[in-house]
Amino acid sequence: MSIETPPVSFNKVSSTCLKTLKVLQINLGRTKAANGTLHPTSDKFQSDLLLLQEPYIYDSQIKGIPQSWNIFNSISNKAAVIIPSRQLHAALISCKQNTVAVKIQTGQQPTTFISAYSSPYSNIQETLLEFQEIISSLPREKIFNGAGLNGHNTLWGYSDVDSRGTAIEEFILANNVFINNSSDAPPTFTRNSSKGWSDLSLCTQQIIGEIANWEVLEEPSLSDHHYIEITIDSSVKNCTFTRYKTRHGNHNIFLRNLKPYVNSLLRAFRNSQNEKDINEATNLLQNCVIEACNKSYRTKNQNLSPAPNWYTQDLEIEKKRLKALRRRAQRASQDQRNARFQFHKEELKKYMRKVKTAKNSGWKSFCTIATNPYGTHYKSAFRKAIKPAELIALNNHDPSGNHLKIAQDILAKIFPHPANSNSSTYIPPCTANDCLFTKGEVATVIHHLSKGKAPGPDGIDNIIRQQIFKKFPFLLMELFNTCLKLAKFPDPFKVGNIILFHKHGKSKTEASSYRPISLLPTIGKVLEKLLTQRLKFHLEKNNRLSNLQCGFREGRSTEMAITKLLDTIHKW
């Protein structure tokens, strides 16, 4: 869908935020303690993306991880993709029973990351078929899959071949997929003296040249499986909208920086004779305010996921001791190996208890030192965080392409074009012109608009707009009155950021399961409110509204509508 938009002042910054992608793959074995190691381990290795199999699930949620992390689960919750980094923006491509796939914009071409799991007691063909459907829907695209398939084959380390390993090998050959596991790699699964290579890393031909490193880590995971670190040489481009720290002062500096532009802006507003002129003048206003803000205010930085406050240096020392004990057990002679592995197992249990105690004491101290009883600790414990949804590939839509194509598919579904798009010429009515907006009228509207609302694409929030009107009231009044004379609403005020919120319990691949919210420019909201007040006054004064309408009218409520309904029923 191609949409013709007017020139708009987007206050955004485009940058290459990551030179390489660091991916961690792990089977957590459905253990709560293993979930608890995700945060400190991800922070230690600076991981950008986590591919999980068998995470610990309670109340249909993965427990033990920060609420700020973006989580994408399979339907069975046996596979998950987690993005700790706020610099990465993913689009959900597929959510099936045993697999989940997300797409990240990397370099010139996006990369799809898949997490899949197949229990050793289930039919592996079901998981392989889901993986094949994703590959078929994304031809010639970069795909990486971290999978726990539980199949034996000599290609990835086992000394024997079973039926599951044969099925995996046939799938790899049939779909031109490559294995990143090497035959001489350390085992990804150990339990006492037994070992295995059940965790596989697969990728397509388009990304094989970008895999810089694949390594099984010795980092204790508190699970029977080990962490696998994958480094991908592919830059990630990020685009963020600038937000200013306007609550921290510097307003006088801003007004001094804006003052040189005021006269030229006034001339542009007064010389506007048609729709094109007022659009250009409005765009000039936004650019001047943005330039003055850049010289005056500090910008808000995106908060990265902080390190867990409960993870202490003592726990790190204990973790290194466990790694040394495990290495000694592996190198021990045959007659001492079982005893050393048993000793390592006992020490691992003690470490798990220390981790649990540290997490509980850290939360207790965090709540104890809080001065506000309804502060951060209260919100994290009792308030459910509702985050904006990431992009999703809709059902019956082609999931190939970049994020822009996926976003356009969503917009076309939520906001379809009208069937009849014949533009008609606007003919002004033969009525008396409205009187111009007064200073008191504009001041009342600005005063009652909330200061905490998010700004639009230009980054001009309500505090900045209030400071402009406080120092240069004639500037905004000239703009609004010019729009009133021309009977035109400037096009730059019609463009906003659309954010989607997922409706709880709804399908993630349907457009109707998301509630769109549009963040519009704040200066345009003032003009909207002024026009709405004039329109309401005209309708109420001339008695043009039905007496039965109670919604969206001052002094009326649903109780009045119910009372009128009951009166009508009693009369009959």
Side-chain angles (χ1 to χ4, degrees), residues 9-11 244 254 258 285-295 457-460:
S9 300
F10 289 107
N11 195 359
Y244 300 107
F254 163 72
L258 181 64
L285 171 65
Q286 290 177 314
N287 288 331
C288 293
V289 174
I290 290 172
E291 188 171 349
C293 288
N294 291 334
K295 297 177 181 178
D458 54 9
I460 303 172

Side-chain angles (χ1 to χ4, degrees), residues 497-548:
N497 293 334
I498 297 178
I499 300 176
L500 303 178
F501 288 90
H502 181 247
K503 300 176 184 177
H504 182 69
K506 301 289 185 178
S507 172
K508 291 185 177 181
T509 56
E510 297 290 341
S512 59
S513 302
Y514 294 86
R515 180 178 293 106
I517 294 178
S518 181
L519 303 180
L520 295 168
T522 57
I523 300 178
K525 291 181 180 179
V526 179
L527 181 57
E528 288 181 9
K529 188 69 174 177
L530 290 169
L531 295 175
T532 303
Q533 286 184 348
R534 290 286 181 91
L535 182 61
K536 285 183 178 179
F537 177 78
H538 172 76
L539 295 175
E540 294 285 357
K541 180 181 178 181
N542 296 281
N543 198 23
R544 303 300 295 271
L545 295 176
S546 171
N547 198 36
L548 299 177

Side-chain angles (χ1 to χ4, degrees), residues 277-480:
D277 293 341
I278 194 62
N279 288 339
E280 293 177 353
T282 305
N283 193 43
L284 178 63
L285 171 65
Q286 290 177 314
N287 288 331
C288 293
V289 174
I290 290 172
E291 188 171 349
C293 288
N294 291 334
K295 297 177 181 178
S296 311
Y297 297 116
R298 291 180 295 173
T299 57
K300 296 181 179 180
N301 297 323
Q302 286 188 335
N303 294 325
L304 301 179
S305 180
N309 57 0
W310 56 266
Y311 191 76
T312 61
Q313 187 65 26
D314 294 337
L315 291 176
E316 182 65 24
I317 295 173
E318 188 68 21
K319 182 193 290 187
K320 293 180 180 178
R321 179 173 170 270
L322 282 174
K323 292 166 66 175
L325 289 175
R326 182 171 174 272
R327 286 193 296 266
R328 292 173 188 172
Q330 291 173 337
R331 298 168 184 170
S333 58
Q334 191 65 34
D335 56 337
Q336 296 181 352
R337 182 168 299 175
N338 288 336
R340 287 187 177 272
F341 270 115
Q342 186 63 30
F343 179 69
H344 173 265
K345 185 176 181 180
E346 295 297 328
E347 294 298 314
L348 185 61
K349 291 181 180 178
K350 295 180 182 179
Y351 177 72
M352 292 172 63
R353 287 195 292 269
K354 290 181 180 179
V355 169
K356 183 178 180 180
T357 303
K359 292 184 70 175
N360 292 337
S361 61
W363 172 251
K364 182 179 180 180
S365 61
F366 177 68
C367 296
T368 303
I369 63 177
T371 56
N372 181 10
Y374 297 102
T376 306
H377 62 293
Y378 175 85
K379 295 177 182 178
S380 61
F382 296 103
R383 291 189 181 180
K384 293 183 178 180
I386 302 177
K387 299 182 296 183
E390 299 285 352
L391 294 175
I392 43 100
L394 302 177
N395 279 340
N396 303 322
H397 282 71
D398 183 13
S400 61
N402 55 18
H403 284 194
L404 179 59
K405 177 182 175 298
I406 296 175
Q408 289 176 339
D409 291 340
I410 297 174
L411 290 178
K413 192 71 176 179
I414 298 178
F415 306 106
H417 282 290
N420 185 11
S421 59
N422 294 331
S423 58
S424 58
T425 304
Y426 172 73
I427 302 176
C430 298
T431 58
N433 292 332
D434 289 337
C435 60
L436 299 179
F437 296 120
T438 63
K439 182 179 179 180
E441 193 175 1
V442 178
T444 302
V445 171
I446 291 180
H447 176 73
H448 285 89
L449 288 178
S450 175
K451 296 180 181 179
K453 296 294 184 180
D458 54 9
I460 303 172
D461 60 21
N462 289 335
I463 296 179
I464 298 174
R465 182 206 57 210
Q466 190 178 54
Q467 293 297 323
I468 296 174
F469 182 76
K470 184 177 179 181
K471 182 68 175 178
F472 310 108
F474 48 87
L475 182 63
L476 296 183
M477 288 177 57
E478 190 69 36
L479 169 63
F480 298 151

Side-chain angles (χ1 to χ4, degrees), residues 477-488:
M477 288 177 57
E478 190 69 36
L479 169 63
F480 298 151
N481 287 323
T482 302
C483 296
L484 186 64
K485 294 175 185 177
L486 298 177
K488 300 295 181 182

Side-chain angles (χ1 to χ4, degrees), residues 268-275 277-278 482 486:
F269 296 150
R270 291 165 181 167
N271 295 333
S272 298
Q273 302 296 329
N274 50 46
E275 184 178 7
D277 293 341
I278 194 62
T482 302
L486 298 177

Side-chain angles (χ1 to χ4, degrees), residues 127-140:
T127 303
L128 294 179
L129 180 60
E130 292 176 356
F131 185 24
Q132 187 175 23
E133 289 176 355
I134 297 174
I135 295 177
S136 302
S137 64
L138 303 171
R140 297 179 299 279

